[in-house]
Amino acid sequence: TVTVDKKGIVTEILIEDFSSEEYQEDELKKSIEELVSTYNEQAGEEEVTLKKMQVKDGNASVLMQYSTDDTYRAFNQVDFFAGTVAQARKEGYAFVGAFTDAKGQDVSQGTIPAECQDQSVIIIREPLAVLVPGKILYVSKNMKILGEDCARLAADSGDTYENAQVTTEAYGYVIYSSK
């Protein structure tokens, strides 16, 4: 799950099966800390923080924080955007394809950006959940709304959870109003 606060700070919560891993919790933590330290040294400042990491009941949970969406994108080497619809369009995101509203009703293609230039948007290509600091207004058709403030990008068709790729072919868009 990933979320962005009003200041643009990105928080990521990772939960992975750790029951059959060959290494220990302290090795995992040390590995993550080294990645974070190397990234921050290259950036010249602390942009990524490991907030919490634990292994419990065969699951590893990691709470990471990134100073900006650019930092998240660079650290994880995936496409990710958080800002307004107008900013996203300026960055080259096209908002093509079908969208649904918060109730799951289809809306006309091409009308979302015109109506929502100042609304916030998170754009992803990772099959993960997005928790927004507000109320979801519209999502792209490849997103499943899980609640008024949460949606998940589906893996490309034919992929099971275990075989899901790191990124999807199509972007997932979540347009929301900030609280």
Side-chain angles (χ1 to χ4, degrees):
T1 301
V2 67
T3 189
V4 180
D5 71 12
K6 291 181 181 185
K7 295 179 182 178
I9 296 172
V10 180
T11 301
E12 177 184 38
I13 302 165
L14 302 163
I15 299 175
E16 296 287 334
D17 180 16
F18 201 72
S19 59
S20 65
E21 296 301 324
E22 309 246 341
Y23 52 94
Q24 300 296 317
E25 178 178 355
D26 57 337
E27 291 176 85
L28 175 62
K29 186 173 184 178
K30 183 179 179 185
S31 175
I32 294 170
E33 287 172 338
E34 286 174 2
L35 287 170
V36 168
S37 177
T38 299
Y39 182 89
N40 288 335
E41 284 175 19
Q42 291 174 351
E45 60 185 308
E46 189 171 311
E47 293 185 354
V48 180
T49 308
L50 172 62
K51 291 297 208 180
K52 183 178 179 182
M53 202 230 77
Q54 73 176 22
V55 175
K56 185 176 180 180
D57 300 329
N59 288 312
S61 61
V62 178
L63 178 65
M64 302 281 293
Q65 200 166 64
Y66 307 87
S67 61
T68 66
D69 61 328
D70 288 334
T71 302
Y72 180 91
R73 182 175 35 253
F75 184 84
N76 291 293
Q77 299 178 354
V78 295
D79 205 351
F80 181 86
F81 177 86
T84 66
V85 170
Q87 290 167 334
R89 292 191 69 176
K90 195 178 245 186
E91 292 285 323
Y93 293 99
F95 291 83
V96 295
F99 284 81
T100 61
D101 65 17
K103 296 177 184 172
Q105 302 297 313
D106 290 344
V107 294
S108 300
Q109 292 184 6
T111 61
I112 302 297
E115 296 172 8
C116 299
Q117 291 299 308
D118 295 327
Q119 297 296 341
S120 298
V121 63
I122 295 176
I123 304 170
I124 61 173
R125 286 192 61 198
E126 296 173 277
L128 51 77
V130 175
L131 181 64
V132 299
K135 187 175 181 181
I136 293 175
L137 301 173
Y138 302 100
V139 296
S140 53
K141 275 286 223 185
N142 56 351
M143 299 289 298
K144 179 180 181 180
I145 295 175
L146 304 174
E148 76 173 20
D149 62 353
C150 188
R152 181 173 183 78
L153 178 61
D156 293 329
S157 62
D159 286 332
T160 62
Y161 179 75
E162 293 81 19
N163 297 325
Q165 66 281 10
V166 174
T167 62
T168 59
E169 289 187 32
Y171 289 105
Y173 295 80
V174 180
I175 300 170
Y176 63 97
S177 62
S178 299
K179 288 184 180 175

